[in-house]
Amino acid sequence: MEALKMYRKAIRMDDNVERTMMNHPTIEPVEDDAEGPEFVPEIQIITNQEEQSKFMELPSEIAIQIFKWAVYFELPMVIELSAVSKQFQSLVKAAPIWKFMSSRAHQERDLSLCLPDFKSDWFSLWRDLPQLRQDGVYISKVSYIRPGYNAESYTQPLHLVTYFRYIRFLKNGRCMLVTSTSPPNEVVPQLSHFKGTIATHWIWTGPDEITMQVF
């Protein structure tokens, strides 16, 4: 692609560039042991390989600690690390990493009770056990048709009624619940101070069941 780009650039500069090149003196090929800019990428590759080999010499316990925090702060990095080498792939699958990720995702639950359901596999538990998001708002839109009344006509009008339910779960076990016809752009920014907000307390009562209690 680079050669084609340079050829098109040469054509724009000189229409007879092919004839000029045919009359140009032959350029001698560069010897393999010559020094020059052409060999800089090769030196960089060797340097990268040496740095990678140094990392591979780390004890697996230290490498797992590094991977644990890398995956925690940027989850898609799992794919990138797995593609580096077979050793990296096996380290990414290590149980301590996914035990740490599961404990962070389910801080309010006793995971020792859930682990047998996933054959003591922490990765399967993290992947398949329902997680409760506490960094946003759950929004449910409800619509239904209600019959109306018109005394001056033989036809019966129908009304489309739409309202929203907003639920925000907090890490301290509390929850904010709002039912309103106002759209999300009006409710979410001021959810904690919105008129009609109900404060509740929530707990896990099953693997995928939450109970909320108004107080």
Side-chain angles (χ1 to χ4, degrees):
M1 293 296 295
E2 187 67 23
L4 181 59
K5 185 188 300 184
M6 298 301 295
Y7 176 75
R8 290 175 178 173
K9 184 177 179 180
I11 288 292
R12 289 194 296 268
M13 296 175 63
D14 185 2
D15 294 339
N16 298 321
V17 64
E18 296 183 0
R19 182 178 299 175
T20 303
M21 290 297 299
M22 292 178 62
N23 298 330
H24 195 278
T26 305
I27 300 175
E28 296 296 331
V30 180
E31 298 295 335
D32 293 341
D33 57 350
E35 297 181 358
E38 296 83 359
F39 294 88
V40 173
E42 184 178 354
I43 296 175
Q44 292 177 350
I45 293 175
I46 295 175
T47 303
N48 292 337
Q49 290 176 351
E50 291 178 352
E51 293 177 355
Q52 181 178 342
S53 63
K54 292 179 181 178
F55 186 86
M56 302 288 261
E57 293 176 359
L58 290 175
S60 58
E61 293 81 2
I62 298 179
I64 288 175
Q65 290 293 324
I66 297 174
F67 285 2
K68 180 174 66 176
W69 288 103
V71 172
Y72 175 72
F73 285 110
E74 191 172 355
L75 185 60
M77 191 173 289
V78 173
I79 301 176
E80 299 178 9
L81 292 174
S82 301
V84 173
S85 63
K86 291 184 178 179
Q87 184 176 355
F88 274 37
Q89 187 178 24
S90 62
L91 289 173
V92 167
K93 295 180 179 179
I97 295 179
W98 300 106
K99 182 179 180 180
F100 172 78
M101 294 289 291
S102 300
S103 62
R104 289 278 178 165
H106 305 278
Q107 297 182 11
E108 68 287 342
R109 307 179 70 173
D110 186 2
L111 297 180
S112 61
L113 302 177
C114 305
L115 189 59
D117 297 335
F118 299 93
K119 299 180 180 180
S120 299
D121 184 6
W122 284 104
F123 176 75
S124 298
L125 184 145
W126 175 85
R127 181 189 59 193
D128 300 330
L129 186 65
Q131 301 182 16
L132 184 66
R133 298 293 299 269
Q134 300 174 353
D135 56 352
V137 180
Y138 287 91
I139 303 176
S140 173
K141 181 179 180 181
V142 181
S143 300
Y144 66 93
I145 297 177
R146 179 176 61 83
Y149 176 75
N150 189 356
E152 300 179 358
S153 175
Y154 293 101
T155 60
Q156 184 181 25
L158 297 176
H159 301 282
L160 177 62
V161 181
T162 301
Y163 65 93
F164 300 87
R165 286 196 180 101
Y166 303 89
I167 304 177
R168 171 69 189 274
F169 295 95
L170 304 177
K171 294 182 179 181
N172 58 4
R174 295 197 172 189
C175 175
M176 291 182 292
L177 176 64
V178 177
T179 301
S180 174
T181 56
S182 301
N185 61 338
E186 297 180 6
V187 178
V188 174
Q190 49 180 346
L191 183 63
S192 58
H193 306 288
F194 193 80
K195 183 179 179 181
T197 300
I198 301 174
T200 65
H201 182 77
W202 64 273
I203 58 172
W204 285 97
T205 54
D208 54 357
E209 180 180 336
I210 293 176
T211 301
M212 293 187 294
Q213 181 179 4
V214 180
F215 59 90

